[in-house]
């Protein structure tokens, strides 16, 4: 059984870019007769809100993007993450990090357009300092990870020079994105991950973690970004394109028709349902260049 997933963070209302990703993820797996699961990535207690989770589920239902099974909440899976964290620690693959930069961002998906700093390994050889708050980093080797993206083709990334040792648990105890997502995808039986191309560099990190834990890796398919008038990827700051505003201007079929046109799935913005699009969905029709909304 093919299984895809949509894994939003409940830190604000979904915007057009989130819906674009959700739609293509849903179409990709449903065109193969598979299941589409919903995971609420609420591991950051400082920013996540149940009210936003409720809104995004209501928005998906309004769009006709039904998920299979019950939603999975990362905030309820701490014991599971602890188990696999302990495995990595017992392998001697982790060390405490006392640096502060990027620590608070570790629970979030690391978008390329937000900037990325390759960690220099500052704390790798420091002796432990009991009582001092520390994040936990995973040691990466100076070696390449090669994989074939389902839309952008062959990718080769050197972990040491392009990624560096990365955080798997924050100083405050919150689980980091790169550990939680690998564990969840494996235990949920996810076979394909569809998401924006600015998360492409997360794939080699996740493949590496999966190998250390003995998990198979899903197939990764990255999609072009929707960009605003300034050429920036859409974010929750673009309130004119969030679901509250969009639902006032479009019916579900009109909004899906707009996205289908942007994705190259139909020649115009004619209203259409997601179910109708799934019948002849093909990644060959989706552009690789980012898509401007101007």
């Amino acid at each position: 059984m093919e299984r895809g997933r949509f894994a939003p963070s409940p830190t604000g209302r979904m915007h057009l870019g989130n819906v674009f990703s959700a739609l293509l993820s849903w179409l990709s797996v449903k065109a193969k007769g598979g299941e589409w699961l919903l995971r609420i990535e609420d591991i950051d207690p400082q920013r996540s809100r149940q009210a936003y989770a409720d809104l995004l589920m209501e928005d998906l239902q309004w769009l006709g993007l039904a998920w299979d099974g019950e939603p999975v909440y990362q905030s309820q899976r701490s014991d599971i993450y602890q188990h696999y964290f302990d495995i990595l620690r017992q392998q001697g693959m982790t060390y405490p990090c006392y640096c502060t930069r990027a620590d608070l961002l570790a629970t979030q998906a690391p978008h390329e357009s937000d900037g990325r700093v390759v960690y220099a390994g500052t704390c790798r050889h420091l002796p432990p300092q009991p009582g001092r708050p520390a994040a936990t980093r995973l040691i990466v080797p100076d070696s390449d990870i090669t994989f074939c993206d389902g839309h952008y083709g062959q990718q080769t990334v050197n972990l040491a020079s392009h990624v560096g040792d990365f955080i798997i648990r924050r100083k405050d105890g919150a689980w980091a994105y790169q550990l939680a997502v690998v564990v969840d995808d494996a235990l949920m039986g996810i076979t394909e991950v569809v998401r924006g191309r600015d998360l492409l560099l997360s794939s080699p990190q996740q493949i590496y973690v999966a190998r250390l834990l003995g998990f198979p890796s899903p197939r990764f398919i990255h999609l072009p970004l929707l960009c605003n008038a300034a050429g920036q990827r859409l974010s929750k700051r673009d309130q004119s394109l969030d679901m509250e505003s969009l639902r006032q201007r479009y019916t579900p079929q009109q909004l899906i028709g707009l996205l289908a046109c942007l994705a190259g799935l139909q020649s115009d913005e004619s209203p259409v349902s997601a179910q109708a699009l799934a019948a002849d969905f093909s990644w060959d029709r989706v552009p690789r260049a980012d898509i401007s909304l101007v």
Side-chain angles (χ1 to χ4, degrees):
M1 170 68 71
E2 291 282 345
R3 278 188 172 173
R5 50 79 160 172
F6 182 52
S9 298
T11 57
R13 194 74 180 264
M14 282 200 301
H15 56 69
L16 192 66
N18 300 137
V19 179
F20 187 62
S21 181
L23 175 63
L24 291 185
S25 172
W26 190 93
L27 290 172
S28 183
V29 72
K30 290 299 180 179
K32 296 187 281 283
E35 295 180 338
W36 191 66
L37 308 186
L38 178 62
R39 184 168 73 231
I40 306 298
E41 297 199 335
D42 58 346
I43 50 173
D44 188 343
Q46 298 177 13
R47 301 175 67 242
S48 300
R49 300 288 183 271
Q50 182 61 46
Y52 287 132
D54 293 340
L55 277 172
L56 73 86
M57 286 188 281
E58 202 276 325
D59 286 335
L60 291 174
Q61 290 171 335
W62 180 80
L63 288 160
L65 300 179
W67 58 89
D68 296 288
E70 293 296 319
V72 171
Y73 285 83
Q74 287 188 328
S75 60
Q76 299 173 4
R77 297 168 66 80
S78 184
D79 289 348
I80 297 172
Y81 305 142
Q82 181 70 55
H83 172 74
Y84 290 101
F85 174 85
D86 288 343
I87 291 174
L88 295 173
R89 187 166 53 185
Q90 290 160 10
Q91 291 175 351
M93 297 302 298
T94 67
Y95 61 89
C97 176
Y98 306 100
C99 302
T100 58
R101 186 170 185 170
D103 188 18
L104 294 178
L105 298 177
T107 58
Q108 302 172 46
H111 298 282
E112 288 295 300
S113 54
D114 293 340
R116 179 191 291 268
V117 177
V118 176
Y119 185 65
T122 306
C123 294
R124 186 191 280 199
H125 302 295
L126 290 180
Q129 301 178 32
R132 185 179 176 187
T136 302
R137 287 189 184 267
L138 185 69
I139 297 170
V140 303
D142 184 8
S143 61
D144 292 342
I145 295 284
T146 298
F147 67 99
C148 185
D149 181 78
H151 196 48
Y152 290 98
Q154 190 88 341
Q155 307 288 323
T156 298
V157 174
N158 182 276
L159 290 172
S161 61
H162 286 81
V163 176
D165 300 341
F166 54 91
I167 291 173
I168 58 172
R169 195 171 197 178
R170 289 192 336 194
K171 286 181 183 176
D172 63 2
W175 299 105
Y177 170 81
Q178 301 293 15
L179 175 64
V181 72
V182 171
V183 171
D184 286 340
D185 283 344
L187 298 186
M188 293 169 68
I190 301 301
T191 60
E192 83 172 25
V193 171
V194 175
R195 59 193 179 191
R197 66 154 190 84
D198 56 337
L199 289 174
L200 204 151
L201 193 55
S202 284
S203 300
Q205 296 176 69
Q206 291 164 17
I207 291 169
Y208 175 61
V209 174
R211 289 176 180 174
L212 290 177
L213 294 175
F215 292 143
S217 292
R219 178 172 59 258
F220 294 101
I221 308 175
H222 290 82
L223 50 92
L225 304 180
L226 298 188
C227 298
N228 61 21
Q232 303 164 327
R233 71 173 174 87
L234 298 186
S235 73
K236 289 168 182 173
R237 295 182 295 271
D238 293 296
Q239 293 185 351
S240 65
L241 294 172
D242 73 12
M243 283 299 292
E244 181 177 2
S245 175
L246 293 169
R247 286 181 63 165
Q248 294 172 5
R249 294 154 48 197
Y250 297 95
T251 67
Q253 293 77 20
Q254 287 172 334
L255 186 54
I256 290 176
L258 166 64
L259 292 172
C261 182
L262 293 173
L265 303 180
Q266 58 183 28
S267 60
D268 57 29
E269 299 178 10
S270 300
V272 67
S273 68
Q275 289 76 10
L277 290 172
D280 62 348
F281 174 79
S282 171
W283 280 102
D284 292 338
R285 298 161 68 184
V286 178
R288 289 176 175 79
D290 288 346
I291 301 164
S292 174
L293 298 177
V294 178

